[in-house]
Every structure is written in C-alpha cells, then in structure tokens.
Amino acid sequence: MSFDRTIKIAPSILSADFANFGQEIQAIEAQGADWVHVDVMDGHFVPNLTFGPPAVKAFRPHVKTVMDVHLMITPVDPYIQAYADAGADILTAHVEAGPHTHRTLQAIRGAGMKAGVALNPGTPAEAVEHLLDLTDLICVMTVNPGFGGQKFIDMTAKVRKLRQMIGDRPVHIEIDGGVDPNTAPLVAAAGADVLVAGSAVFKGGSVGKPEVYGENIKAVRAAAESALTQAAV
C-alpha cells in the first residue's frame, strides 16, 4: 500500500447482500471502490454481531484492492494474528477497547498489517495524540458503533484537530458513519481522506445492477472532491 491523501471510498459490506458477498465485493471494486471495509462486531463492545476471521478469510480472495478491517470488539489482542492470517491489509482497533493501545498497535504492525485506531464520537482527538507514530490510520466514528444506517454526528472539529496533530506523518483519517454526498464534503474539507459508506453506496443497486453502485460511489467522491477544490480556491 502506497500512501497518498487523495479521496478514497471504502464501501462497508455490512450493507451488502449477505448471501452474495463474493459477487458484491467484485461489483463494488469494478465500479470504483478504492478499499473494501469490513465491520467486525462482537455483541459485547457494540450491540451487534457480525464477521469473524473465517468470514474475513472467505472475503479475501475476492478483494483485489485493500481490505480494511475495523474491529469493534474487546479484547482485541488475542485475535490480531487470526485477522492477519485471514488476510486483512489494515486492522483497526478502538482506543476505548482496552488499556494497552500501544501494545495493540505494535502487535498489529508486528503481524504485518497496517495499524488503525478508532475513536467513538464521545472520545476526544487528544486520546490518540500519543499514538500517532504507531498508527497508519485514525478512524473517526461519526455514529455510535454497532449498526449501519445511522444518522451522521458532526465530528468536523475533531477531524480538523487530528489533521493538525498528524502534521506530515503518513496517517490516513477515515470517517465511518452516515457518509453520503451531503456529509462527505464536510469531513473532506476538515481533512479526512478515507470515507466509509454503507447504505450510501449499496442503496438501489445489486450484483445485477452494479452500475448503481458506481453512480453512488461517484456521487460521494465528487461531493468530497468538490469541497477540496473549493477549499483550495
């Protein structure tokens, strides 16, 4: 994975057809997805239960771009190697998930993956200030984690603070929750470069109508990029 700050759209397959994941992944990539976002929930850290390492391993052969795995679980450390073995390119853990985030990020990198750290809406940017040299991605939650399709919570002030804190470090800022063509410009202008979108990408489409995915991805990307263009003027 090379690093750049161009806008990347990472559809969350939590909004895909669960009976057809392989073709869904292939369809979104063919229609312009930059990354594939996999939300892992344990029914404990968050009130929902989704994918474990076997599912992620089954997704891997279909993902030709970047498999971005977001762990909404606690504890994290006992499962790091399993997700590495399953083929995750990026593994993100929540700063709220345990007391030893340094060790978690070191272990993720040690297992050969890029390391991400996520912040719930109620957690300030300063919570990861001491972790910036150990992380490759900061995921700013713009909903409370646990379910797809929630209403966007405005975290632009936090994103701006993170952008300032990161400086010239090669660290992505990812936004997860409620991203659509209306909210994408807000976070892009604040400094985010990776946009996770679930229902905004998958709504109205299917593997039989993949062009709808493409239209949705283009709409989110265009909205985000237009904000950057306006900011540069």
Side-chain angles (χ1 to χ4, degrees):
M1 286 177 57
S2 59
F3 180 85
D4 66 76
R5 296 197 192 281
T6 59
I7 295 295
K8 296 164 193 63
I9 309 301
S12 169
I13 60 170
L14 191 63
S15 295
D17 176 1
F18 276 33
N20 211 6
F21 276 124
Q23 285 187 282
E24 289 276 54
I25 290 167
Q26 292 168 20
I28 57 174
E29 288 193 334
Q31 292 295 323
D34 300 289
W35 295 4
V36 174
H37 189 82
V38 182
D39 288 306
V40 175
M41 305 180 189
D42 64 358
H44 171 62
F45 182 67
V46 293
N48 204 350
L49 190 64
T50 59
F51 314 115
V56 174
K57 186 176 182 178
F59 302 153
R60 178 71 263 184
H62 303 283
V63 179
K64 306 305 180 188
T65 56
V66 172
M67 187 157 64
D68 174 31
V69 179
H70 177 191
L71 299 184
M72 287 168 272
I73 69 173
T74 185
V76 171
D77 293 9
Y79 301 98
I80 290 171
Q81 191 59 52
Y83 284 99
D85 293 343
D89 294 304
I90 304 169
L91 195 67
T92 296
H94 273 255
V95 71
E96 306 90 356
H100 306 297
T101 314
H102 284 87
R103 183 161 63 202
T104 298
L105 295 174
Q106 289 168 341
I108 291 171
R109 283 184 165 183
M113 297 173 286
K114 298 290 186 181
V117 62
L119 294 165
N120 283 336
T123 303
E126 289 78 8
V128 297
E129 190 166 10
H130 60 298
L131 300 169
L132 295 176
D133 292 324
L134 287 173
T135 191
D136 302 290
L137 175 147
I138 299 172
C139 176
V140 177
M141 296 301 299
T142 43
V143 298
N144 286 295
F147 297 96
Q150 296 183 67
K151 186 178 178 182
F152 177 83
I153 301 171
D154 189 350
M155 292 283 121
T156 50
K158 185 189 293 187
V159 175
R160 289 191 191 97
K161 178 67 175 177
L162 288 167
R163 179 70 260 149
Q164 181 182 25
M165 286 163 45
I166 288 167
D168 61 359
R169 295 178 178 89
V171 178
H172 295 289
I173 298 178
E174 178 176 77
I175 304 298
D176 188 354
V179 172
D180 61 25
N182 296 315
T183 58
L186 303 175
V187 292
D193 57 295
V194 182
L195 307 181
V196 176
S199 55
V201 167
F202 285 96
K203 66 179 180 182
S206 66
V207 295
K209 294 192 297 180
E211 66 278 2
V212 177
Y213 296 159
E215 292 164 4
N216 293 340
I217 290 169
K218 287 176 185 175
V220 175
R221 192 190 308 278
E225 290 178 344
S226 69
L228 297 181
T229 301
Q230 291 172 13
V233 173

